[in-house]
Amino acid sequence: MTEPLLPAIDDGDDPPDNASTPRKDPYWVDALAQGLSVLEAFDCEQPSLTLTELAQRLGWSRSKPHRFVHTLEKLGFLEREEVGRRYRLTAHAMKLGFAYLNRLPLVELAQPIMNRLRTEVGASVHMAILDRDELVYVAQARIPLPTSIDIHVGSRMPPHSSSIGRILLAYKPQADIDRILDGAPIPALTEKSTVNPAAFRALLDTARERGYVYNDEEFHRGVRSIAAPVLNARGEVVAGLNATSMIYTFTDEVVAGTVIPAVVRAARELSLALGHREPQPVAST
């Protein structure tokens, strides 16, 4: 049953979308902010949404999204699917993100390194950053995986779920980790997921000590991934790099003997390209 097309009514009764919205700012354009929030509502978990689902995601009344969706569709940022009343982002909307990504020297420097890593380990390679406490994938060198995983440039997800997110969290200040975890149990994606907050924090401590994360079927059943941090010239962790494949390809022996050293080496190579210099050991006298 398809959703009926709603009338273009904005009842104006919705509460502010964000308590920190600068309502008293004379230069603030509320309609623009709300239109952008419509675009941000679409993600890899919900690539298409009905008007009702969009309203639920944004905490709006059921009729409110209609005018925004209508305008964004006319401008080419959204399109309606052929079947049903669902909308999805268009390639035109993705241009906004790609314009930002193309300005990142990180992506340009990373791509050849990621391509070599893909060949070396025979697996998909991804790079991601943290943006507003979410993991955002900014580059990739993929091979086909026989799973339902659909990670692409621009995908966003909670950082606790993947190996890259965990390696980035491992180097965050404790206050940031507390805010992101929020003291609540961590959602399980598989039966092997670490959901206890204390155990998860211990996992981050181990990752920081080792310099890499080994995610063994905690993100997706049958999938293993290894991630290492990428540092800039100031020694700050600015991104994470990982290699991902099926468990029958990433066996225990392959992971330990080939994948972990290769991923750590690739992340270090990219770090050096960004100007990072590891401290030299002090010579003994």
Side-chain angles (χ1 to χ4, degrees), residues 21 41 46 60 106 134 137 144 163 175 242 252 260 266 275-276:
T21 298
Q46 290 285 345
W60 290 356
L106 174 65
E134 281 190 306
Y137 287 82
S163 59
N242 83 354
D252 293 344
I260 291 175
H276 177 65

Side-chain angles (χ1 to χ4, degrees), residues 144-198:
L145 282 177
T147 71
S148 59
I149 295 178
D150 183 24
I151 295 175
H152 53 271
V153 173
S155 291
R156 304 178 75 98
M157 63 181 62
H160 61 75
S161 57
S162 78
S163 59
I164 297 183
R166 292 181 179 187
I167 198 63
L168 294 177
L169 284 179
Y171 290 88
K172 279 288 186 182
Q174 194 61 50
D176 289 344
I177 297 174
D178 291 341
R179 185 188 68 254
I180 293 171
L181 295 183
D182 197 27
I186 299 168
L189 298 180
T190 75
E191 65 276 6
K192 297 183 70 173
S193 295
T194 302
V195 296
N196 179 275

Side-chain angles (χ1 to χ4, degrees), residues 44-66:
C44 59
E45 293 182 358
Q46 290 285 345
S48 67
L49 295 166
T50 65
L51 292 171
T52 297
E53 290 169 342
L54 190 57
Q56 291 172 344
R57 280 206 146 197
L58 295 173
W60 290 356
S61 64
R62 189 167 177 267
S63 62
K64 183 170 181 176
H66 183 273

Side-chain angles (χ1 to χ4, degrees), residues 229-247:
V230 176
L231 290 78
N232 64 14
R234 296 185 294 275
E236 302 163 336
V237 175
V238 294
L241 198 66
N242 83 354
T244 301
S245 192
M246 305 302 296
I247 192 170

Side-chain angles (χ1 to χ4, degrees), residues 128-146:
I129 62 175
L130 279 178
D131 176 53
R132 291 180 294 179
D133 296 342
E134 281 190 306
L135 190 67
V136 183
Y137 287 82
V138 297
Q140 63 184 11
R142 296 176 63 179
I143 64 170
L145 282 177

Side-chain angles (χ1 to χ4, degrees), residues 58-78:
L58 295 173
W60 290 356
S61 64
R62 189 167 177 267
S63 62
K64 183 170 181 176
H66 183 273
R67 288 198 301 168
F68 294 98
V69 169
H70 175 79
T71 302
L72 290 168
E73 184 182 11
K74 291 294 184 182
L75 291 172
F77 290 100
L78 293 177

